[in-house]
Amino acid sequence: MNMNNSSKTQYVENLEPGGYMYFFENQVPATITTDGGSTLTISSQHARDGQQSLQWLFTQGSRLILNQEVGFQPQADEATPHTFLTWLYHAEPLDEQLTFHFGQGEAVNASFSISLAFSGWRGIAVPFRDMQGEAIEGMDRLTIIAPESAGQLLFDQIILSIPVDHRWPTPDYVVPFINPAVNTGPNKNWMAVLMYDQMLREHYDDFNFTLPFDDTSGDTAILYKNFDRHLAVNSSSTISQEKIDANLAKYTQFMLRDNPDGSITGKPLDHPKRQNFMRVDGILSPESLALLTDTINISVLGKALLETAKFLRTDSLSAENRRQLEARFIDGSRYAFEQGWQGGSGYQIVSHVGYQTRELFDAWFIGRRVLAQRGWLASAQQAMMWFSATGRIYEADETIIDSNVDILNTQLQWMIKSFLLLPEITVREALLTQLQSWLSKTLLASDGVGGGFKPEGSVFHHCQHYPAYGKDAFNGLGVAIYGLSGSPFRLSQAAHQRAKEVLLKMRIYTKETHIPLPLSGRHPDDKQVISAAPYQWMARAGSPDGTQTVDRELAAAYAYLANKPDFEGIPAESEPVGAWAMNYASMAVQRGRSAVLADKSWLVIARGFSRYLVGNETYEANNLYGRYLQYGHVAIEPADYSLRAFSHDGWNWSRYPGTTAIQLPNDQLIATLHQLPGAGIEEMLLSTETYSGATTLGDESSLFAVKLHGHAKYQQQSFRARKSCFIFANRIIALGSAIDNRDTEHHTETTLFQHKVPAGEVVEVNGEAINSIGTHLSLQGETRFKDPAGNRYFIPAGQQVRFSYDNQASNHEDDGTPTQGLFATAVIDHGKAPQQQSYEYAVVIEASGSSKPDYQVLRQDVSAHIVRDGVTGTEGYAFFSPVAGLTETLIIGSDSPAMVLANQLNAQEMHLSIVNPDLALYRGQDPDQIDANGDQVEVSIYSRPWGSNLSKIQVTQILIAGSWSLAEPYSAVTLVRQQNNSLLTIETRDARPEYIRLLKI
């Protein structure tokens, strides 16, 4: 065997905590040999880390042998199977294969072969479970067998066997056989790039790049103009020499160098998610981790190229500036291609890569003419098309059951733009026509808890309403809709209308672009905001029916959100007012006009969760204490948003306003995370209950109610409660009943408010102004508060109320570091291990006086909460179970759990809203969630077999006092007289309320 090594000293390199790994920053390791006249040297021509790689000049059929413990361990955890990883550099594509054998000595236990039909760097991550044969513990050799012709390969980052998240290894044309589960997994939008490319190739095996590129002719010409306008391409702008010099200087960091063979090299390019496996404890030493992560994020290169591309589209450049900018633009693009950012490259792991490639792809779109002139258009187009997974436009109609907001945010625009980089106009137009059909269907699909846009306005991601992702979805989708507008490829009217309605709903449940705490997902940090930009671009896309060149509703909303008096001549709207039930979000939303601030409105959100909808999302570094976030959370966002209650530092995570919860210190509240099948390391807990949701009546009445059940994961299965929240104009009546648990160590509380008071803001307690730090009160008689936002709370006597005005110590929701802050807090204390406890309180928002609101509690027990508003006469019914025989109420009973709001306007007319809040995605029990003791088991929401089920029809019968008739026909409602009363039968689906008008007979 021959080792070409100038040093006399040979040694084992890089025995890392996770096993043997080779990074080749020194000599050829003694454990690596070759035969058959092949040679090994250390090369500095290209590297994937540091400065060097291993060069193998191979002869036909020769072998590269690595003699050391492979480190394979039988699959103890199917979520992180042992995986082999490496990077290979090949100068020119070769239609042959390279074979890898793992075994003991000469025996072969596991093997695989890869295609060498590539150039530049390719990263592969091959789980041993996907190899031929069966890997065994104790393997001590890797043999790499050369193809049937001589050549040269470079290797770097050879990692023999480490655990890698099963979702990450990415199949591509080099290793098409690995990880087939990505094609059906929840992350297929990122990971199934090969499958989607193969879909595309069934229709277009190849593309013709020999034709001249034309972006000014045909039906697509307007698309280039639209996207260029969005990207602020301006041919008449003047770029200062200072800006040009600064842009050119940005390329220094990439350390670009041309090689004698015509290739280019530079500092390794990467993206953050690919490096996650390296950062797991026990894999790399700190020194090696620093070496492997000393890279340039592809987004950094993309931003430099994007600025260069914009400069190149101006007409004011000098010849020398244009020459230098073009040279940098082409060299930077070649550098990306050489580093593996090519069509067909899986880059080992491409999860979430769309967040990092947007600037790069926009740079190539803007610089399309330069790329075409210099012969690099095909490379750019193929890379953009591959990483954007554009072949998904050929998904079969029956498989389109949801949409993915990550696609809308990080891939959709560049799917379109990749087609626009094709020179052949007829092919370009055919693909855009197919995209139009696919996108129009996708935006209308969102089955079960699948992603996308629900008819009531929720935006689903991670199987839940998730505004933080929804806002980003529209950042991409809004531009895509605008880009396609004015052309034959524009969105269908129905899909455009759905997108518009969902976007408009987003400014309903946010306040001055801020996402309220109950909707914060795994980011309860008061930093999440929506953008006004999607409203701008969708307004410019025109109305869904095509009759308006500027959509007036969206234009008015944009002006309001952007703090402009008008947009495109359309005045800004005032802040919205009204009431909305969003039962795929399990919440009620109500907004009322402020009596204090003109054109402003306050916002109330009441939210719960159920056996279909998760109550929290917690990651290793996000929302560590968020278990109670949706335990009947009632958030009041004031018209003056600066007076909001929440502040992160010092926040007591057991005391979200309106919630009823067992009070735990943070060291007991902190989540315990596991990696469940089909998921990452996270927690997303479900309830066992089906009852959680809302209904509304008119613009000023809402009812929210929930059955709470604690999770056995934290030994809280004994915790139960019935909760309701009735909102009549600016009056809230909150009730609780059947509050039970067996926790004898911790108090159970219902939180009235927890309000930041950083500047010593005053709280009124029974008429007394209090802002003295260290105040702690125990109150049992009738109690009244006024919080710093001007809301008054009224708590009837007979309840144990506790109030504090003091510094609070807590922990950061991301990393648990200590925090502190000054808060005023009021709670109803139900004591330890409460049994059949209850509560009642009322709130007047922006109270102008001190009078108690006028209402009656007609029933409050385990079966029902019933309230009558004294101002409007509206009655609200939270039927937790069937109820009959009610008297002196508009409703006599219900045959099933339901929510009803009823208002008899006069002797002749009654208005009703009725809903069964059960989404009914499945019947009976989910057997995976129940153990032998009947207790709930933690499961991944992503693995639920019912996750894409359609909601089933729920039939509810409501008996109404008196003889009534339907004022008009209703498709889902029938009425029959039952003696002197009226029996309504209502069919609801998707927990969508039915609104009914009755006339007296």
Side-chain angles (χ1 to χ4, degrees), residues 154-167:
L154 300 179
F155 290 88
D156 212 346
Q157 286 185 30
I158 299 178
I159 301 175
L160 289 166
S161 182
I162 61 170
V164 174
D165 190 305
H166 69 288
R167 301 168 299 168

Side-chain angles (χ1 to χ4, degrees), residues 808-820:
Q808 293 183 176
S810 188
N811 298 91
H812 198 288
E813 58 92 10
D814 275 353
D815 58 16
T817 55
T819 65
Q820 62 178 0

